[in-house]
Amino acid sequence: MNTSIPQTSPGLGYLAHRDEIDQAVREVMAGGVYVLGRAVAGFEDRFAAHAGATFGVGVASGTDALCLALKGCGVRPGDEVVTVSHTAVATVAAIEMAGAVPVLVEIDPDTFTMDPRWMEAAITPRTRAVIPVHIYGQMADMARIRSIAARLSLPIVEDCAQAHGARFRDRRAGTWGVAGGFSFYPTKNLGAFGDGGMVVTSDASLAERVRMLREYGWRERYVSESPGVNSRLDELQAAILSVKLAHLDADNTRRGQIAARYDEGLSEYAVRIPARHREAVHVFHQYVIQCDERDDLRAFLSAEGIGTLIHYPLAVHQQPAYRGRLRTVPEGLPVTESVCRRILSLPMYPQMEDGQVERVLAAVRRWRQRASANGTR
Ligand SMILES: *Cc1c(COP(=O)(O)O)cnc(C)c1O
């Protein structure tokens, strides 16, 4: 009997490097420093260098990374920040945590990333920043977004929570804008054993402001120069993340191999496979297909023991918390809404075996055959 295939499996990422991780954890435990110590400083340097940025500032979550980066860029209560609705609610929550007003724009129907034309259309005199989201591991069209933002002198904070190691042209996620916000939530391409996040930037004064914001506005301990918060990264997470960072590129390569096999296998079954921007290197945080009979396919795969998820079933402007109160450009976001009804995230994690990928493909084939036999499509 075949065992079931989960949609994602962060626990296998531990088992793959168990000895190294256990060793790193023991060292932190014995070291007696548990928050913002040497492990955090070392990981900040290593992670920033991996992204191609000069500075890394470890914080408590990806949401905080975005919020503190915005505040560090001078975003003030009442300012507008332009982002997309096709994203984790966290992106928009971070904007509101900074006191700003989110304005949500349409995505490109092929790549699911911010449509630069709608971004430009959404800019008003109150716009103070733009957050493109590199959704599913593929970067937005940063060349066009950056040229528009530069013309209007607007800082870009990239939402890199799903894009550790992704590239657009020759530069990695987090280095096209003035800052990038990363999440180390356990299921991300680089995941901690709890929450964590980081702001990367090559702007020394921005790095300094975020460093102060994350700990009560301190430059010097116990002296608050400006109001801040508590959003620190802890030593255990940083030590674990340093171990896992050394395997990130190999993990992303494996995700790419799985995606290539999915592409090849699915092309015959009339489901739409993810489009690639020709100038981007996708790191496949998720492998997302589009299919009109999405819910039927999902139920079929579930009965076959194959886990899937929907990222996300509702766009942010459709969520009860935000419905009717955020400006959308264009009104109603028709592309975003239709994409939400059709998307399905197939199993994707670096430890997924070739045989499991084939089983997913075989199940999609059976579903398609059953559907044709029933004459439903
Ligand atoms: C996960 C995620 C976040 C938030 O990260 P947390 O660490 O969960 O706060 C933000 N944006 C996107 C696109 C995400 O996927």
Side-chain angles (χ1 to χ4, degrees):
M1 182 56 204
N2 282 328
T3 50
S4 58
I5 302 174
Q7 199 274 332
T8 184
S9 187
L12 292 178
Y14 168 58
L15 296 178
H17 309 292
R18 184 179 206 152
D19 292 344
E20 271 179 289
I21 290 172
D22 287 357
Q23 175 64 24
V25 167
R26 276 195 299 270
E27 281 170 21
V28 170
M29 300 291 269
V33 174
Y34 303 119
V35 169
L36 293 187
R38 284 219 318 263
V40 170
F43 175 60
E44 287 175 337
D45 289 347
R46 278 188 281 276
F47 188 77
H50 183 272
T54 314
F55 307 100
V57 184
V59 296
S61 71
T63 309
D64 280 3
L66 294 170
C67 173
L68 299 185
L70 289 174
K71 287 187 177 180
C73 287
V75 169
R76 297 278 170 270
D79 289 345
E80 291 178 359
V81 176
V82 174
T83 190
V84 289
S85 190
H86 185 65
T87 183
V89 159
T91 314
V92 173
I95 295 170
E96 292 201 331
M97 276 165 61
V101 178
V103 175
L104 306 179
V105 303
E106 194 61 289
I107 51 170
D108 176 276
D110 295 320
T111 61
F112 307 129
T113 55
M114 178 180 274
D115 184 328
R117 286 165 306 176
W118 288 117
M119 167 207 146
E120 186 164 15
I123 307 290
T124 74
R126 299 189 347 158
T127 308
R128 280 303 302 271
V130 178
I131 306 187
V133 179
H134 307 319
I135 194 92
Y136 307 145
Q138 175 161 249
M139 289 183 66
D141 185 342
M142 292 310 295
R144 290 174 64 200
I145 290 171
R146 203 167 68 160
S147 79
I148 297 165
R151 177 153 44 79
L152 302 167
S153 303
L154 288 173
I156 298 172
V157 173
E158 297 170 58
D159 183 337
C160 306
Q162 304 190 0
H164 315 69
R167 245 199 298 257
F168 188 85
R169 294 190 183 157
D170 56 343
R171 293 167 66 167
R172 282 197 159 144
T175 62
W176 279 85
V178 65
F182 287 85
S183 165
F184 305 119
Y185 184 77
T187 58
K188 309 288 187 185
N189 289 39
L190 181 61
F193 294 180
D195 280 306
M198 193 175 295
V199 175
V200 304
T201 181
S202 295
D203 178 326
S205 63
L206 176 59
E208 177 68 6
R209 285 194 296 279
V210 175
R211 242 175 244 291
M212 289 173 65
L213 281 166
R214 77 171 163 186
E215 200 173 35
Y216 316 125
W218 292 350
R219 196 188 318 261
E220 186 188 327
R221 202 172 178 81
Y222 307 131
V223 181
S224 294
E225 294 183 25
S226 50
V229 299
N230 172 356
S231 181
R232 298 176 293 222
L233 183 62
D234 70 67
E235 289 282 286
L236 280 176
Q237 302 304 344
I240 292 163
L241 287 163
S242 275
V243 171
K244 293 181 82 179
L245 176 59
H247 305 285
L248 174 63
D249 291 339
D251 283 354
N252 283 344
T253 300
R254 176 63 188 152
R255 287 173 184 270
Q257 287 168 350
I258 293 166
R261 179 60 196 130
Y262 272 151
D263 282 355
E264 188 183 24
L266 289 170
S267 54
E268 10 178 335
Y269 306 135
V271 295
R272 207 164 139 197
I273 62 173
R276 314 288 201 280
H277 192 288
R278 66 193 155 74
E279 295 184 287
V281 176
H282 198 317
V283 292
F284 288 98
H285 173 59
Q286 301 295 351
Y287 186 94
V288 176
I289 60 170
Q290 288 188 68
C291 159
D292 287 335
E293 313 84 3
R294 184 267 311 275
D295 295 335
D296 188 57
L297 172 57
R298 182 162 199 234
F300 185 90
L301 292 176
S302 169
E304 301 264 321
I306 295 169
T308 60
L309 286 170
I310 300 168
H311 298 97
Y312 298 90
L314 291 176
V316 178
H317 72 285
Q318 300 175 301
Q319 302 277 347
Y322 301 99
R323 206 159 40 210
R325 80 177 174 82
L326 299 181
R327 188 158 69 87
T328 58
V329 182
E331 181 73 45
L333 305 178
V335 174
T336 296
E337 291 197 3
S338 91
V339 158
C340 288
R341 290 190 292 270
R342 297 166 44 83
I343 46 177
L344 187 66
S345 307
L346 297 184
M348 171 59 81
Y349 47 95
Q351 293 76 26
M352 195 177 176
E353 290 161 14
D354 292 344
Q356 295 178 309
V357 179
E358 297 308 318
R359 276 174 53 205
V360 174
L361 291 170
V364 176
R365 180 173 61 239
R366 281 196 299 281
W367 171 74
R368 190 48 89 188
Q369 283 166 348
R370 190 196 62 159
S372 338
N374 291 346
T376 52
R377 349 182 213 284

